[in-house]
Every structure is written in C-alpha cells, then in structure tokens.
Amino acid sequence: NESLDESLEDSIDEFLKGEFDEFPSVSPKPSYGMSSEEVVTTVFEALKRNSESMDNYGSAVLKSFSTQLAKHERLRTNHDPWRELLRKSPTAKLMSTNLMRSEYQFLTNWDTCEIIAATANQSDSLAKNVINARLCFEDGVKRLVYLKIILRKPNGAWLIDSIEIVQDSLQSRFLR
C-alpha cells in the first residue's frame, strides 16, 4: 500500500524531528487507582471519540493503556491479531490508520458497551484480569460483538494486553 508507506514515513519523520504530540495533554493516563473495568471503559470511550475527530485522541489513549510489546513481538509478525495491530502502529497516527483497516475497526463506532464479567488471576508473577464485554450497534441492523479483554498489571496499573473477538452476531448470521 503506497498510502500506508507514505503515512509510515511521515510518522517516522515527525517522530525523528520531535514534531508530534503522541499523547494529548488532556488524555487520561493509566493510574494505580483505576480498576481493570475502568481501564476498558476509558479506552473504549476514547476510541469512540477517535472517529469523531482527526486528532488521533482515541488511538493515543489506547496506546497509553496497552502493554508494551516484547522485543521478539516488535521484530516479527505476530499470530495474535491484536498484538500485530500494536506492532504495526508505533504512533497514535498509525494506530488510527491501522485500526480502521483492521478487524477491530468496530471499536470506534459502537452504541453501548457492557462489561459482562471480570475474572482476576493473581497466580502469575503478573496480576491478570480477564474481562468479557459486549458492544452493541444499532445502525439499522442490531449487531452484538462479544470481546475477551486480557489486562495485566506490569507496573502497578492495569493495561490492556490483548483483545479477542469471541463472537460477532453479524458474522454469525452469514456463517450459518
């Protein structure tokens, strides 16, 4: 894709010149006091705003609330679509572009979001929560998307590690 290559080169040039503001000053940041449910709600609400503006606000919030990629994840293609999206998106601007071209584009235009269940697992060396969420879309045809969101607490604050699409009612109708 020529336009994607140009966008990547522009982002790299901006980064090297120090001419971009990755995280707008008004955007929320991870904090020790936020629950995993609050993190998911904050990120999803910001992503919804991303489609209303061109400032990459939602993508900047998403990046600040996402776990960092390990070195091996940054260097080669990932089999996890969420981690691959993060790998291809080193800046908020690229995240916006790549998000809209990915299977996760629906994160920017849902009508209601409901946290269905949260499960904590403290047995790992890192704390881990699994949140099941449902996004509802009502643009003509009612559509429900169920997500499994894994959060980790690497430095005391909850961060999104991965998002998996468990079921999409619109796709389910066509697969039957």
Side-chain angles (χ1 to χ4, degrees), residues 117-137:
T119 310
N121 179 357
Q122 301 293 333
S123 64
D124 295 337
S125 59
L126 292 175
K128 174 177 148 182
N129 268 9
V130 176
I131 291 182
N132 295 314
R134 175 176 49 217
L135 297 178
C136 182
F137 305 81

Side-chain angles (χ1 to χ4, degrees), residues 16-81:
L16 293 174
K17 293 177 187 174
E19 295 176 351
F20 77 103
D21 183 14
E22 179 72 349
F23 304 110
S25 60
V26 295
S27 65
K29 306 280 188 283
S31 71
Y32 300 115
M34 291 181 82
S35 69
S36 54
E37 293 89 348
E38 289 172 315
V39 167
V40 169
T41 302
T42 299
V43 169
F44 282 18
E45 287 290 339
L47 285 170
K48 192 173 181 181
R49 278 187 53 196
N50 205 61
S51 62
E52 297 169 2
S53 65
M54 295 304 290
D55 66 355
N56 304 312
Y57 171 81
S59 295
V61 171
L62 171 62
K63 288 188 66 56
S64 70
F65 280 91
S66 293
T67 56
Q68 297 294 312
L69 294 173
K71 186 176 183 178
H72 70 277
E73 290 178 304
R74 290 190 307 266
L75 297 176
R76 61 180 91 102
T77 303
N78 291 283
H79 297 290
D80 177 347

Side-chain angles (χ1 to χ4, degrees), residues 71-113:
K71 186 176 183 178
H72 70 277
E73 290 178 304
R74 290 190 307 266
L75 297 176
R76 61 180 91 102
T77 303
N78 291 283
H79 297 290
D80 177 347
W82 182 256
R83 302 301 280 174
E84 183 63 11
L85 175 64
L86 293 176
R87 185 185 75 81
K88 290 180 175 180
S89 308
T91 67
K93 183 177 180 179
L94 274 173
M95 175 58 83
S96 287
T97 301
N98 293 335
L99 186 64
M100 295 312 293
R101 294 179 177 171
S102 77
E103 63 191 276
Y104 296 101
Q105 66 182 337
F106 61 82
L107 291 173
T108 63
N109 66 354
W110 48 271
D111 292 307
T112 58
C113 175

